[in-house]
Amino acid sequence: MKNLFLTLAFVFASSLSFANIDSNVAIEEEVLAMECFDFNDSCGGSWEVCHEGVSTAQLAAFLWEWDGGC
Amino acid sequence: MKQYFINLLLFFLLIQFAYSQTNYRVKYELNFQIDSTNSKSIQNEIMYLDIKKSKYSYFRPESIFLKDSILQSNNPQSLFSINKPKFNYTIEKVFNNNNISSYYDYTAFKFKLSESIDFKWEIINGSTKTVLDYKVHKATTSFKGRNYTAWYTNEISIQDGPYKFKGLPGLILELYDEKNHYHFKAFSIQELSDNKPYIVSEEYKLISNKDFNDFKERVKQKPSLVLQNPGIQIPKEGMDKYDRNHRERNKHKNNPIELKVNNE
């Protein structure tokens, strides 16, 4: 019985550690998916903008409104 | 003689029908005083009133129309070729009732306000003039803290006008408040084969007046709230600059068109 309990605990702990590794991989993929470019605003400034998971229209609307704070 | 009146009646009905089946774009120039304490703080904006076959209409700044149409095109980057609007609303009026929906686009937040407005107009008999070659008649009303004079033409039998104004027996071509802080004047009327609204109403969240006023207060404190987007990262310095410049600009904005929340 004691052995069974230890085995189950080991299996549970192993699955958790795998889950942890998986989420790290996911985070790394997110970081890799982030795209960056230089944005030139209307008052001559240049800014690094990074984006991930947004449409071109959303990005354009954001940058148009922000415009480097000009 | 009887036949003559029947023909005349048919003629007017035909004109009425023709107007009701046509799409129109009325362009207004809006001159407004942004700071109530400074009579020199006059700014202007071109506004579109797009009327769809006498069923409903959309009233908004030209640049909001351009923004919405560009963002739905295949080339959203061309947004950078247009100026930013001084107002961020689109007003939708349905002609068979008093319901008016106002759509506010704050980039990261899109809100819709609904209200029912029954304008009490007083038609001033005998006062006429000409706007855009149309004979116009005078009428007055009050709305949310301002007293207005409107000039409408019954040569265009569309009961609509700029901003939320409607309900006169013809199209309003000029409208201003008694302090002349907001002055709309039509400068062009076009017939359009089709006028797509270019507004995705599903993207707008219905909000109460109170919550909307709370939101505007939060934006006043922190203008960059409208740029909140977890999928886009910019340097903190860029957000701070946006906040600084917008707070400075907002200092002089103290004269909204609606001075009161309710129309009393």
Side-chain angles (χ1 to χ4, degrees), chain B residues 172-184:
Chain B
I172 300 169
L173 295 181
E174 189 175 1
L175 179 132
Y176 45 86
D177 67 299
E178 64 185 347
K179 290 181 179 170
N180 208 29
H181 284 180
Y182 283 83
H183 192 137
F184 300 88

Side-chain angles (χ1 to χ4, degrees), chain B residues 128-137 151 173-174 185:
Chain B
T128 59
K129 63 173 186 173
T130 305
V131 176
L132 278 177
D133 291 334
Y134 291 97
K135 187 179 178 185
V136 290
H137 305 268
W151 293 91
L173 295 181
E174 189 175 1
K185 191 169 185 182

Side-chain angles (χ1 to χ4, degrees), chain A residues 62 65, chain B residues 105-110 215 224-229:
Chain A
F62 176 96
E65 175 55 39
Chain B
D105 184 349
Y106 284 87
T107 311
F109 298 90
K110 294 184 177 189
F215 172 77
S224 64
L225 185 67
V226 305
L227 297 172
Q228 203 175 73
N229 188 328

